[in-house]
Amino acid sequence: MAMIEIKNLTKFFGAYKAVDDVSFTVKKGEILGFLGPNGAGKSTTMRMITGFIPPSAGTALIGGCDIIEDSLAAREKLGYLPENAPVYPDMTVVRYLDFCARIRGFVEPERSRKVEETLEKCFLTEVTYQSIDTLSKGFKQRVCFAQSILHDPEYLILDEPTDGLDPNQKHEVRQMIRQMSPQKVIILSTHILDEVDAVCSRAIIIANGRIVADATPDALRAQSPSHGAVCVTVGAAAPEPLIQQLTQIEGVKTTEVLAQSDGDLKLRVYPQSDTTVIADSVVASLMQGDVAVKSVFVEQGRLDEVFRNITSNSH
Amino acid sequence: MNKQSLRNVWAIYTRELAGYFGSPVAYVFIVIFLLLLGFFTFYVSNFFEFGQADLRGFFQWHPWVFVILVPAVAMRLWAEEQRLGTIELLLTFPVSLPQIMLGKFLSAWSFLGIALLLTFPMVFTVIYLGQPDMGGVISGYLGSFLLAGAFLSVGQMTSSMTRSQVVSFILAVVISLFLILAGYPPVNAVLNGWGAPMVLVNLISDLSFLTHFISMQKGIIDLRDVLYFASVIGFMLFAGAVVIQNRRIA
């Protein structure tokens, strides 16, 4: 039963409720994206799951081991990348990883092999003998990431794993996470919505300590007001007659002008409901007229719109 | 303790010890420690003029040198982890808090032990000058090592209370000073002068590091003194663990 079960996690800081009765289950093979505005309780939740701070109520089960009652056993199964990737600045990369390998119970000769392997996997071979305080932010982040996957844990908790990386490094880390995912349970927090699209199979949005959405990225996107809308660019000059023409089509709710320039007109046609397909009738209607259609596409909806809607409603 | 817990303590221990010797602070500390002790022994205690082949004039300064220098060794143990945020990783590793406490303490204690061993020319000097009571020298060193451990445990406890090394240092110096002065004869005389009952004065001075240290300097290894230092160390380590545990809740 490889899964992480979060049961009614609650955390008070004084009278302030940082995390409010959060429950969910993540199964093997899933990559759960943990989303939310700053201060929503993402890091606090992750710190409770990894046993760094004790919850005020509720608990987390890591592969059946209670993080409070059976903390050591649960922590053995976890790999954790904390926010801001803290690492000891006075150690060299290889020494640091060797220390982590010792802590994880590896003995020679397996220990050196593990360290070597991890250095390669995380593209750290060029800085093996460098002192960590001389490394750039991106390298530090990768050293800390290396630490979290060194013992090949079944459960990975990553708090903003791509923070501070350049686009290439981000791509590499995401690819690594995706490759590992079939054998693992992965929870990662992020505030980059593209990342959720790129790696996550499921997303949970939390705001003010509560879960406000729990779905696949596609399902979330479908909640966007622009989901299913048809965007057209035509070469006509006067928008009004065209808007009238398009709005009369069956299933169309409204039409709005997005941009108008150099004789190009960009329009967005909204359907009456999520499930109504209007692309064919819109195209047919445009072909009847004498406008030059330059481009047509159906919008998938945008995660940031959904994110904004959900997290600002809950205030 | 099973094998893995020993390995954990060892891993923490070697990391911390490498941390000491990896920074110039360690060497600066050792030099200052040796210079201070040399200065006090030869210029204040007048070691040569005293005309006795023993190390009493040397050991008697240890509490006063330790009270300033040991908190400096101890202050980074937890304060640095909290400032850097590395405590978050350390406490989520499959290592128990007592194991971490022990590993950190033992590494700093070994460091102090090494500094203490580097005073060996003093021993050679007295052996060259006369026939010292080697039993007294050994028990003096043992007492000094235990004393250093006691100061260190206080420093580790104050280090767990803050993310600032300076705050940790000052707190440790103040607490350690109290623990010395409670057994300092002039202070006890003042207490007597206030008309405090003898039992109370004795009780206070028995709680002091100094009382137990002085009897070991005389060449007496009393189990009670050893037990005293061991229990101070044990208590302070436990207190430090409680502080760390509680800081996580807040």
Side-chain angles (χ1 to χ4, degrees):
Chain A
M1 49 170 202
M3 56 170 151
I4 294 182
E5 290 166 86
I6 312 295
K7 291 180 174 169
N8 310 94
L9 271 187
T10 302
K11 182 70 191 175
F12 282 98
F13 289 119
Y16 173 67
K17 212 174 202 177
V19 176
D20 185 3
D21 198 22
V22 166
S23 304
F24 58 87
T25 304
V26 195
K27 288 196 227 34
K28 190 165 166 174
E30 265 188 310
I31 304 179
L32 175 71
F34 218 49
L35 291 166
N38 286 330
K42 284 174 297 186
S43 289
T44 308
T45 306
M46 294 192 138
R47 284 175 169 175
M48 287 193 283
I49 298 173
T50 53
F52 178 57
I53 50 177
S56 308
T59 187
L61 298 181
I62 316 297
C65 295
D66 192 307
I67 192 68
I68 300 162
E69 302 293 328
D70 196 5
S71 182
L72 283 181
R75 280 188 266 163
E76 259 170 36
K77 303 177 181 209
L78 276 174
Y80 179 36
L81 170 67
E83 203 178 2
N84 303 324
V87 275
Y88 296 105
D90 53 345
M91 297 178 94
T92 61
V93 173
V94 65
R95 277 205 176 234
Y96 176 68
L97 291 181
D98 184 69
F99 165 67
C100 297
R102 278 167 191 268
I103 289 280
R104 296 292 180 183
F106 292 109
V107 283
E108 293 292 12
E110 207 197 345
R111 199 171 78 218
S112 309
R113 220 199 60 228
K114 270 282 172 204
V115 170
E116 193 109 337
E117 210 179 273
T118 312
L119 282 169
E120 253 164 55
K121 224 191 267 177
C122 300
F123 311 102
L124 290 167
T125 32
E126 50 180 311
V127 295
T128 305
Y129 298 104
Q130 263 194 50
S131 169
I132 290 176
D133 57 2
T134 64
L135 297 180
S136 66
K137 175 97 171 57
F139 268 117
K140 277 184 198 163
Q141 183 84 16
R142 267 188 282 169
V143 171
C144 203
F145 182 72
Q147 163 277 130
S148 70
I149 61 166
L150 179 122
H151 52 300
D152 198 20
E154 226 178 326
Y155 306 90
L156 256 185
I157 313 283
L158 309 169
D159 202 346
E160 304 195 356
T162 59
D163 190 39
L165 301 182
D166 67 33
N168 295 335
Q169 295 167 336
K170 271 186 189 156
H171 179 73
E172 276 161 15
V173 168
R174 285 173 191 168
Q175 207 155 28
M176 225 174 338
I177 294 174
R178 256 199 315 257
Q179 274 165 10
M180 291 187 302
S181 78
Q183 294 89 39
K184 293 190 198 314
V185 177
I186 302 176
I187 301 180
L188 65 89
S189 84
T190 180
H191 51 246
I192 310 163
L193 293 158
D194 293 342
E195 195 155 288
V196 178
D197 252 339
V199 292
C200 297
S201 60
R202 180 177 158 203
I204 283 184
I205 300 180
I206 76 170
N208 300 319
R210 271 189 299 273
I211 295 183
V212 289
D214 180 354
T216 64
D218 284 337
L220 276 180
R221 211 183 290 106
Q223 292 179 24
S224 164
S226 63
H227 173 74
V230 177
C231 252
V232 291
T233 310
V234 293
E240 283 80 17
L242 203 56
I243 291 178
Q244 232 169 26
Q245 180 194 335
L246 290 172
T247 315
Q248 276 163 7
I249 301 171
E250 201 193 324
V252 170
K253 198 163 84 184
T254 52
T255 305
E256 66 170 4
V257 180
L258 289 181
Q260 193 173 9
S261 66
D262 295 344
D264 269 7
L265 183 63
K266 214 173 169 188
L267 295 166
R268 189 188 273 156
V269 189
Y270 291 97
Q272 262 157 358
S273 77
D274 284 355
T275 47
T276 326
V277 178
I278 55 166
D280 50 352
S281 38
V282 167
V283 172
S285 164
L286 286 171
M287 300 307 274
Q288 280 168 13
D290 52 355
V291 289
V293 179
K294 293 189 172 168
S295 84
V296 178
F297 67 91
V298 180
E299 290 207 19
Q300 296 302 305
R302 287 173 34 202
L303 273 180
D304 57 345
E305 281 178 355
V306 180
F307 181 80
R308 242 192 337 266
N309 276 344
I310 291 178
T311 54
S312 49
N313 283 345
S314 63
H315 273 289
Chain B
M1 256 195 180
N2 64 27
K3 227 170 160 188
Q4 183 56 39
S5 7
L6 273 180
R7 269 207 291 266
N8 289 343
V9 173
W10 181 246
I12 305 272
Y13 174 86
T14 46
R15 199 202 75 75
E16 291 285 339
L17 203 60
Y20 277 116
F21 287 103
S23 77
V25 183
Y27 304 99
V28 171
F29 170 87
I30 288 176
V31 168
I32 291 178
F33 175 73
L34 297 177
L35 280 179
L36 274 180
L37 277 181
F39 171 78
F40 283 124
T41 310
F42 290 102
Y43 288 93
V44 183
S45 282
N46 293 321
F47 178 74
F48 287 128
E49 289 85 340
F50 207 62
Q52 272 192 5
D54 67 25
L55 286 176
R56 236 179 265 183
F58 165 70
F59 282 128
Q60 91 181 73
W61 295 106
H62 283 201
W64 309 100
V65 172
F66 282 159
V67 80
I68 299 296
L69 290 186
V70 175
V73 171
M75 65 186 183
R76 61 180 275 281
L77 285 173
W78 281 105
E80 190 72 353
E81 300 264 7
Q82 299 187 58
R83 194 179 62 82
L84 291 171
T86 45
I87 187 171
E88 190 165 347
L89 270 181
L90 194 59
L91 294 182
T92 52
F93 280 147
V95 189
S96 70
L97 194 50
Q99 288 165 7
I100 305 174
M101 277 282 169
L102 201 62
K104 278 177 177 285
F105 175 76
L106 290 179
S107 81
W109 205 14
S110 309
F111 174 70
L112 291 173
I114 291 167
L116 207 55
L117 283 180
L118 288 175
T119 62
F120 68 91
M122 282 306 306
V123 181
F124 290 156
T125 310
V126 286
I127 291 175
Y128 177 73
L129 291 174
Q131 270 125 24
D133 167 18
M134 282 317 282
V137 171
I138 290 168
S139 87
Y141 267 106
L142 182 68
S144 185
F145 187 54
L146 285 172
L147 181 72
F151 279 123
L152 184 66
S153 64
V154 172
Q156 184 169 4
M157 194 269 287
T158 61
S159 181
S160 67
M161 301 198 297
T162 170
R163 56 173 58 213
S164 154
Q165 300 196 19
V166 178
V167 171
S168 162
F169 176 79
I170 291 169
L171 279 176
V173 169
V174 170
I175 295 173
S176 303
L177 207 54
F178 255 102
L179 283 167
I180 298 186
L181 288 179
Y184 192 47
V187 173
N188 291 339
V190 169
L191 288 178
N192 263 331
W194 287 347
M198 205 56 206
V199 190
L200 186 67
V201 176
N202 280 343
L203 183 73
I204 291 174
S205 86
D206 274 348
L207 284 175
S208 166
F209 289 175
L210 207 57
T211 317
H212 298 274
F213 177 64
I214 285 171
S215 77
M216 291 191 90
Q217 271 181 73
K218 293 179 187 146
I220 309 158
I221 301 180
D222 190 332
L223 188 64
R224 280 173 299 179
D225 296 328
V226 176
L227 265 179
Y228 167 79
F229 283 119
S231 49
V232 167
I233 292 170
F235 174 78
M236 287 297 172
L237 291 188
F238 176 72
V242 170
V243 172
I244 291 287
Q245 196 76 40
N246 282 315
R247 274 180 74 79
R248 288 199 284 161
I249 296 169

